[in-house]
């Protein structure tokens, strides 16, 4: 072993003695964050919606009017172009894909039998890729630049291949890189020529409200841009309160063109007589409006930012002089993308596990779980306490140093 390798091994061995045991495999809100919305349990003085609907009963498959209006104001779209359903936006994304496969979308035939393909900016969100893999949709990697997906690649692919039916996008504080799409990228996505007339952009706005700094980044509105470009049905936007209120008991929304909303309503009406309107009602009463949500998210940021800062400080202290290592410094969202030299991510994650730190599997940020360079590690600082995440970040850094030096 070289001197550097011996030093890295000694530091790692010393860290092992701490007996740490932490699961950082998902970006879960901490208990302190969940406590911010405990008043949800007291937000039910009655069961009548604004229009007199008894929220305890069947009906209103598109959601309560006030819940649609709330999401409309948060997403900058008319409430009539919003559906509020389910407790998680991932469920809505899955259903859109299934409905498209079985029934087609406005302007097209059922995707089943057409060998559909989706474009996937990478690194990206593993659960998007899982939906495609489970439903037999082929995936093609697209590089994710600092301002969004490489649009030269995207435009070339969609213009020449009618089997490409859609594309996953996380436009703000992307998982895991923290990337924010530029206005130019959004406009090009809205206006580009596609060989498939039924091409859809799956716009997962999961971190729209999740700022970590005072710079509350804005992204161009995809639904409006698509309408202005003459492609009104192209984008389907998804959002939820999963990391605003309670992760397991939130409300979710889908927003799109009138034609897409009518299409969704027709097919969703087969699987349900109505969503959980009690949960919608208590969320509306607690969250109220955009200003209330923004104030709540400032409180979330106050709990989250010190944890991100602690991770960045440990990485800087231990990895700042390690060749080929870098990491993102996001302005929002839930993740840091730690980039290793090629071939070191799996080994680092295995060494971290031996030190009691469970991370997202290597390759998760790529379709089929295959990172071609084995170089991306998703860091999720949110759930552990500040002392725990500080130790964990140190352990991850020491594991990476050993993986590189050995």
């Amino acid at each position: 072993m070289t001197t550097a390798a011996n030093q890295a091994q000694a530091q790692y061995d010393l860290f092992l003695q701490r007996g740490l045991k932490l699961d950082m495999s998902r970006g879960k809100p901490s208990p302190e964050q969940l406590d911010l919305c405990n008043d949800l349990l007291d937000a039910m003085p009655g069961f009548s919606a604004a229009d007199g609907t008894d929220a305890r009963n069947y009906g209103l498959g598109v959601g309560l009017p006030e819940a649609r209006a709330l999401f409309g104001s948060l997403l900058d779209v008319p409430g009539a172009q919003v559906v509020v359903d389910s407790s998680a936006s991932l469920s809505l994304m899955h259903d859109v894909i299934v409905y498209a496969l079985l029934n087609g979308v406005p302007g097209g035939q059922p995707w089943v039998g057409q060998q559909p393909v989706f474009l996937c900016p990478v690194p990206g969100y593993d659960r998007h890729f899982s939906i495609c893999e489970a439903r037999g949709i082929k995936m093609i990697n697209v590089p994710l630049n600092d301002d969004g997906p490489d649009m030269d690649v995207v435009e070339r692919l969609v213009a020449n291949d009618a089997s490409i039916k859609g594309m996953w996008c996380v436009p703000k504080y992307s998982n895991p890189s923290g990337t924010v799409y530029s206005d130019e990228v959004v406009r090009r996505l809205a206006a580009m020529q596609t060989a498939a007339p039924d091409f859809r952009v799956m716009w997962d706005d999961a971190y729209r409200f999740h700022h970590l700094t005072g710079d509350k980044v804005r992204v161009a509105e995809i639904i409006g841009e698509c309408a202005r470009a003459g492609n009104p049905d192209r984008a389907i936007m998804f959002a939820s309160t999963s990391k605003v209120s309670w992760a397991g008991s939130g409300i979710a929304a889908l927003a799109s063109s009138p034609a897409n909303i009518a299409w969704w309503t027709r097919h969703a009406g087969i699987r349900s007589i109505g969503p959980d309107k009690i949960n919608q009602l208590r969320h509306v009463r607690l969250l109220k409006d955009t200003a209330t949500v923004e104030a709540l998210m400032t409180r979330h940021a106050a709990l989250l930012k010190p944890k991100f800062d602690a991770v960045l400080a440990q990485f800087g202290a231990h990895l700042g002089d390690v060749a080929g290592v870098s990491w993102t410094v996001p302005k929002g969202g839930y993740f840091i993308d730690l980039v290793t030299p090629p071939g070191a991510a799996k080994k680092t994650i295995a060494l971290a596990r031996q030190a009691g730190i469970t991370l997202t599997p290597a390759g998760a940020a790529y379709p089929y779980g295959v990172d071609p360079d084995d170089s991306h590690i998703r860091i999720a600082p949110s759930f552990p306490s500040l002392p725990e995440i500080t130790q964990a970040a140190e352990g991850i850094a020491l594991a990476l140093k050993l993986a590189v030096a050995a």
Side-chain angles (χ1 to χ4, degrees), residues 44-198:
M44 291 305 297
F47 303 106
S48 293
D51 64 354
T53 296
D54 187 335
R56 298 171 296 180
N57 218 326
Y58 292 128
L60 289 181
V62 292
L64 291 177
E66 52 263 60
R68 300 175 75 190
L70 174 61
F71 267 111
S73 67
L74 293 172
L75 302 176
D76 292 327
V77 296
Q81 291 177 226
V82 176
V83 169
V84 182
D85 188 5
S86 181
S87 63
S89 55
L90 189 67
S91 300
L92 304 183
M93 295 176 217
H94 174 269
D95 285 357
V96 165
I97 294 295
V98 170
Y99 297 159
L101 286 167
L102 297 178
N103 306 289
V105 298
Q109 298 299 312
W111 291 357
V112 166
Q114 297 189 52
Q115 298 183 317
V117 177
F118 258 55
L119 301 185
C120 301
V122 291
Y125 182 30
D126 55 329
R127 295 193 184 273
H128 290 162
F129 309 149
S130 295
I131 290 175
C132 283
E133 188 171 5
R135 298 295 166 247
I137 297 174
K138 179 183 175 182
M139 293 174 278
I140 296 176
N141 294 358
V142 172
L144 185 65
N145 299 328
D146 290 341
D147 64 346
D150 187 323
M151 287 306 300
D152 290 340
V153 173
V154 171
E155 289 168 340
R156 174 175 54 80
L157 289 171
V158 299
N160 296 302
D161 189 348
S163 71
I164 299 177
K165 297 296 186 180
M167 177 176 177
W168 293 106
C169 290
V170 182
K172 185 189 288 188
Y173 311 139
S174 293
N175 175 356
S177 65
T179 298
V180 175
Y181 287 21
S182 69
D183 289 354
E184 180 186 1
V185 163
V186 176
R187 290 202 232 1
R188 289 174 71 176
L189 285 168
M192 64 188 181
Q193 297 298 309
T194 64
D198 52 349

Side-chain angles (χ1 to χ4, degrees), residues 347-372:
K347 188 173 183 180
T348 299
I349 290 171
L351 288 168
R353 187 181 302 113
Q354 292 177 33
I357 305 163
T358 301
L359 299 172
T360 305
Y366 284 76
Y368 311 108
V370 179
D371 176 353

